[in-house]
Amino acid sequence: MELSECAEVLQSKATKFEEPDQEVLNDSDDDLSRNPTEENEDAFTLGFAKGASSKAVLNLSSQVGTKLQQAVRDEADKEKAEDKYQELIKRQKARVDTEIHPIVWILIGQPEVVARLWPAERVVMGMRVCKWIKEHLSRNAERVVLQRAWRNVATLTASDVHQDLARFQHHAVQVELRQGRELRATQSTGQLFINSLLMGLSQARNWCGAIVHLDLRKNALDGEAAGKLARVLGDRCGALVALDLSDNIIGPKGAGKLADMLKKCKALQVLILGMNEVGADGAQRLAAVLPHCTSLKQLDLGWNKIGVLGTSKLSAALPRLPALAHLDLRENKIGVDGATKLASVLAECRSLTFLNLGWNFIGDAGASALAGALGECSLLTHLDMNENKIGPEGARQLAGVLGQCMSLAHVNMGWNRICDDGLKAILSLLAECRSLSHLNLGGNYITEKGAAHIKSTAHVLAGMDASALHELRPDLQPLAHVSCLALRGNQLGNDGASMLASVLGAFAGLTHLDLRSNKISDAGASDLATNLGLCKALLHLDLGGNTIGSDGGKNLAAGICRCDALCYLDITGNSLGKDGVGALAESLAKLKALNHLELCWNILGDDGAAKLASHLSSFPSIRRLNLGWNKIGPFGAKKLAQALSRCETLTHLLFFGNSLGNEGAACMVQVLEECAALAHIDLGGNRIGDVGVGSLATGIARCPTLFRIDLNGNSIGVKGVAALEPALMQCKALGHVNLINNGIEGAVLTELVQRGTVELLV
């Protein structure tokens, strides 16, 4: 039998079972999680049956597949194969007393036939999706979440969506079909996805129950597609509770089409349309119909450039949304006039708990206008005024009224211009709002004078003289309610770091401390280290982007070992050198909770890498290790690989920008083979050639957990790709492969994607 004839036979048999199975899926078991080739290397068919366990279906599948393959080998056996197929189906029907509906995917020992009928990636993803759907059905039969994650968007057809949704005709359905920005390979591919999706939804709406949650974020939906979606949902959108179309390109036209549909969405509680280029015209159309959505609790129109006009129209609608609790209008070019319009109605939004107006450049005048209204929002818990060109005066105006918001927990005033005087005003909130736990004041030109204000505030709240020079007693903890203090991107310097260090004991509940990029050197780091141990709850410490050298690293090591709860340390972009990192590594080995360590740009070299390696095996919980740009060569790579192979919890290893070469790449094979949890390894920019990638291929094939590998910016050619491809195919979990900037022709990379070797080239 010729391959073409075999394909026709299989296709004719498969199409008989393509009608959607409308029966509820059986109870979940573990059969679908197996590799299809584990039980039978020659054949495998996936199916469901009413009243039949998946084991019975798998048994039938194996028998049918085996007989078909035997028939393929015998060119004269075409009719015999068909007879045996029908006989087996009939026998199994009698055994389980039901009609079996295989889901079309058949894998036999003839890859050319399989490729002609069904791409291999659909077989793999099909099994995962089916298992996932079954598990959710068993947990909650009335509210089903349907999520499809196609490896290649071009394989999606309208019938896919139709069949999947049709299975749940008796249930309310949550649909989450997310293409993802990275998969926008070409405009034609994106349109294929969109058109197939909308057609499938249109066909399926008469089969399935009411859709209550629709998530189509990051799908390149344009205005025309948004209009089609509105028509598809039609009268069935009355039950819609949540709609997320963020990060598309629906524009003003699409917003207008959706507006017509929203009139019917009486139950809608969540509307997310951020990053859609809606503009002022689109905002006006939406504002006109929002009052119909009387149940709306969350409205997200961020990153849409709605401007003053759009903000004005929207502001008029807000008081007619009595349940509105979450409002996100970031990056909309609101300006002073828009902020003033919004301020005129905010006092009427009594349910508001979350307000994000970041990146709107409202300035002091806009902040002052908003201040008058925010005092009336007594339920407010989150306020984000990030990057708004707010100066000291605007900070004073806001601080003067926010004390009335007794539930206020998060304040983000980062990347403004509040300076030291504005900081002093904001600090007054710490005394009035005992609920305030997160304070972001990064990028605000705060100097050592501002640090002195923090110190005096702590002293005053502790009942001490504000000008006292001595440190607080350990039992005085007036700022224990503050759990996150972010001061990155300021100008504290060593003096500011020392002042802050003197009152660290006041922040007994501090879990996150961010002092990144503050011109702190050895002296400041040493003073901080002295009192870090007083922050018993500290989980996250960021000292990256400073100028801490070897001595500072050694002193920091002496103090940081007392932070027993520390799980995240970022000291990127300093100058620890081999001695500093050696001392720090010895100290960090005592922290049993540490799982995230960022050490890139620290001039480790091979000697520093070796010193770090001598302690790495004592890190019991390490999951992520970043050693990028540290001038580590083959010798250091070998030492690190030997140590890392004993780190059973390691999931992410970032090694970009070093000097591994082919020899160092060969050392990384040990990490790939022996790190049982490794999911991501970054070896970009390491001068790895075809020989090195050939060595890596061995390890990749033996790393079943690997999900992403970065090899960009090396010297890999066509020969290297040829050596790598079989390993990529063998690594079943692998979804992201980065091979750009390697001198490989674009056609080669495109072919890898089309063959399903890689899902994504970033």
Side-chain angles (χ1 to χ4, degrees):
M1 180 185 298
E2 296 294 330
L3 288 179
S4 58
E5 294 178 334
C6 177
E8 292 174 1
V9 171
L10 294 180
Q11 181 68 74
S12 66
K13 299 307 164 189
T15 52
K16 294 181 179 180
F17 299 95
E18 285 184 356
E19 290 298 318
D21 178 6
Q22 299 170 31
E23 303 295 341
V24 177
L25 306 180
N26 300 308
D27 294 335
S28 177
D29 55 45
D30 294 332
D31 287 321
L32 299 179
S33 65
R34 290 202 304 261
N35 186 315
T37 60
E38 286 181 1
E39 187 167 307
N40 189 319
E41 294 183 355
D42 296 326
F44 182 86
T45 307
L46 176 65
F48 290 114
K50 178 181 179 181
S53 70
S54 57
K55 289 183 179 179
V57 178
L58 289 171
N59 181 46
L60 169 67
S61 302
S62 178
Q63 296 178 50
V64 172
T66 300
K67 297 298 183 182
L68 282 175
Q69 199 221 0
Q70 291 175 355
V72 168
R73 291 171 182 166
D74 187 347
E75 294 185 0
D77 246 354
K78 179 177 178 180
E79 294 183 1
K80 184 178 179 181
E82 293 180 357
D83 292 341
K84 289 187 176 181
Y85 185 94
Q86 295 297 338
E87 180 182 352
L88 287 167
I89 290 290
K90 183 177 180 181
R91 188 184 309 162
Q92 186 68 9
K93 282 182 183 179
R95 187 156 58 241
V96 300
D97 193 27
T98 185
E99 181 179 357
I100 293 176
H101 296 280
I103 307 183
V104 186
W105 299 309
I106 298 176
L107 183 63
I108 65 174
Q110 297 284 347
E112 297 89 349
V113 178
V114 176
R116 180 177 178 134
L117 296 178
W118 307 287
E121 62 266 25
R122 290 187 61 181
V123 176
V124 176
M125 290 309 300
M127 290 185 294
R128 292 177 186 169
V129 170
C130 293
K131 182 175 186 292
W132 194 89
I133 292 174
K134 289 182 67 181
E135 289 174 347
H136 279 266
L137 269 175
S138 64
R139 293 193 192 108
N140 190 343
E142 294 302 321
R143 191 174 177 84
V144 181
V145 180
L146 174 61
Q147 182 177 14
R148 294 290 298 266
W150 292 273
R151 296 191 66 186
N152 187 343
V153 68
T155 63
L156 175 63
T157 66
S159 60
D160 289 328
V161 182
H162 181 193
Q163 292 181 32
D164 288 337
L165 291 182
R167 296 183 181 283
F168 311 115
Q169 60 174 320
H170 303 300
H171 309 292
V173 180
Q174 295 190 53
V175 183
E176 185 170 352
L177 304 174
R178 198 179 310 169
Q179 180 186 358
R181 179 186 301 180
E182 298 87 350
L183 292 180
R184 294 182 190 171
T186 64
Q187 184 66 24
S188 59
T189 300
Q191 287 302 312
L192 173 62
F193 179 90
I194 294 164
N195 292 335
S196 297
L197 167 63
L198 294 175
M199 189 182 302
L201 283 173
S202 178
Q203 294 175 0
R205 63 177 181 161
N206 295 323
W207 292 77
C208 67
I211 296 176
V212 296
H213 178 113
L214 185 58
D215 184 340
L216 296 176
R217 77 186 83 169
K218 295 184 180 180
N219 275 301
L221 296 172
D222 58 13
E224 183 178 353
K228 291 180 182 179
L229 178 64
R231 291 194 298 273
V232 164
L233 292 177
D235 296 332
R236 298 185 67 85
C237 67
L240 195 63
V241 173
L243 175 62
D244 187 347
L245 298 178
S246 58
D247 202 0
N248 284 292
I249 46 176
I250 67 173
K253 178 181 177 181
K257 297 294 184 181
L258 289 173
D260 296 335
M261 180 193 74
L262 290 175
K263 294 178 183 178
K264 309 169 188 176
C265 298
K266 304 296 184 181
L268 191 67
Q269 297 180 17
V270 177
L271 178 60
I272 305 177
L273 297 176
M275 300 182 72
N276 263 296
E277 304 175 11
V278 166
D281 292 341
Q284 290 185 71
R285 295 289 301 274
L286 291 169
V289 300
L290 281 178
H292 294 276
C293 305
T294 54
S295 301
L296 194 66
K297 296 180 180 180
Q298 177 178 345
L299 176 61
D300 184 345
L301 290 175
W303 307 92
N304 270 302
K305 301 178 182 179
I306 67 175
V308 177
L309 179 59
T311 304
S312 178
K313 297 296 183 181
L314 188 64
S315 297
L318 294 181
R320 300 168 67 182
L321 300 174
L324 188 67
H326 182 119
L327 179 61
D328 191 337
L329 294 176
R330 76 184 85 177
E331 184 60 67
N332 267 302
K333 297 186 175 181
I334 288 176
V336 177
D337 294 339
T340 303
K341 292 287 185 182
L342 189 61
S344 66
V345 300
L346 274 183
E348 301 177 56
C349 300
R350 303 289 184 177
S351 300
L352 197 65
T353 62
F354 179 103
L355 178 61
N356 191 336
L357 296 175
W359 293 280
N360 274 299
F361 308 110
I362 65 175
D364 283 345
S368 298
L370 288 166
L374 289 174
E376 301 296 323
C377 300
S378 58
L379 300 180
L380 194 67
T381 61
H382 289 66
L383 177 63
D384 194 329
M385 303 290 284
N386 186 58
E387 204 157 329
N388 266 302
K389 296 186 177 180
I390 299 172
E393 181 59 30
R396 278 192 289 269
Q397 294 291 332
L398 288 169
V401 298
L402 288 177
Q404 302 172 37
C405 303
M406 302 309 295
S407 299
L408 193 63
H410 295 248
V411 173
N412 183 357
M413 291 286 292
W415 307 100
N416 284 290
R417 303 169 179 176
I418 70 172
C419 302
D420 297 326
D421 292 341
L423 170 64
K424 184 177 181 180
I426 295 294
L427 289 173
S428 66
L429 286 175
L430 297 177
E432 300 178 53
C433 296
R434 305 301 291 180
S435 60
L436 186 57
S437 59
H438 288 66
L439 188 58
N440 183 359
L441 299 172
N444 269 295
Y445 304 96
I446 297 170
T447 67
E448 67 274 7
K449 183 179 177 181
H453 290 323
I454 297 176
K455 180 178 179 179
S456 62
T457 298
H459 283 173
V460 170
L461 294 180
M464 299 173 59
D465 185 349
S467 60
L469 297 178
H470 54 279
E471 296 182 0
L472 291 174
R473 297 200 318 266
D475 59 319
L476 297 177
Q477 301 171 351
L479 296 171
H481 59 288
V482 179
S483 60
C484 178
L485 180 61
L487 293 169
R488 69 163 52 195
N490 283 296
Q491 302 166 17
L492 296 183
N494 288 333
D495 291 341
S498 298
M499 291 181 190
L500 181 61
S502 68
V503 292
L504 278 179
F507 296 89
L510 197 65
T511 60
H512 288 65
L513 178 61
D514 188 346
L515 298 176
R516 188 182 193 88
S517 300
N518 263 289
K519 300 182 179 179
I520 300 171
S521 60
D522 290 349
S526 300
D527 289 339
L528 284 169
T530 302
N531 285 336
L532 274 177
L534 298 176
C535 301
K536 299 296 185 182
L538 192 65
L539 303 173
H540 180 122
L541 177 61
D542 192 337
L543 292 172
N546 287 293
T547 55
I548 303 171
S550 178
D551 292 340
K554 293 175 183 177
N555 291 327
L556 192 60
I560 208 169
C561 62
R562 291 178 289 148
C563 300
D564 296 331
L566 192 69
C567 59
Y568 179 108
L569 176 62
D570 189 338
I571 198 164
T572 295
N574 284 281
S575 304
L576 295 181
K578 61 181 181 180
D579 294 331
V581 79
L584 191 62
E586 182 178 1
S587 180
L588 294 178
K590 302 173 184 178
L591 302 180
K592 305 305 180 184
L594 187 70
N595 58 50
H596 190 130
L597 181 58
E598 299 279 337
L599 285 173
C600 62
W601 292 101
N602 266 293
I603 324 176
L604 300 189
D606 282 343
D607 291 340
K611 289 189 176 184
L612 175 62
S614 65
H615 298 286
L616 268 180
S617 59
S618 300
F619 286 35
S621 305
I622 194 69
R623 294 204 302 265
R624 177 185 170 97
L625 179 62
N626 187 345
L627 295 174
W629 301 103
N630 269 302
K631 300 183 179 180
I632 300 173
F635 176 78
K638 181 178 181 180
K639 294 294 185 182
L640 286 167
Q642 291 171 349
L644 290 170
S645 64
R646 297 191 290 273
C647 295
E648 297 179 354
T649 58
L650 187 69
T651 59
H652 292 70
L653 177 61
L654 280 65
F655 219 87
F656 53 88
N658 283 290
S659 304
L660 296 187
N662 292 333
E663 185 180 351
C667 296
M668 290 293 111
V669 173
Q670 184 176 4
V671 177
L672 288 164
E673 291 180 342
E674 299 183 26
C675 288
L678 190 66
H680 177 199
I681 185 168
D682 188 342
L683 300 175
N686 268 287
R687 306 176 186 174
I688 300 172
D690 290 343
V691 175
V693 84
S695 300
L696 286 172
T698 304
I700 293 171
R702 298 175 183 173
C703 187
T705 58
L706 191 64
F707 175 74
R708 172 171 180 163
I709 181 168
D710 289 275
L711 293 168
N712 56 302
N714 284 294
S715 303
I716 303 170
V718 176
K719 291 183 179 179
V721 172
L724 188 62
E725 186 173 6
L728 297 180
M729 295 294 288
Q730 191 171 342
C731 191
K732 300 300 183 182
L734 194 62
H736 298 251
V737 179
N738 187 345
L739 289 171
I740 64 172
N741 296 329
N742 267 291
I744 307 171
E745 295 181 4
V748 175
L749 299 182
T750 302
E751 186 177 353
L752 289 177
V753 176
Q754 292 175 343
R755 288 206 298 264
T757 303
V758 294
E759 175 182 347
L760 172 65
L761 296 171
V762 292

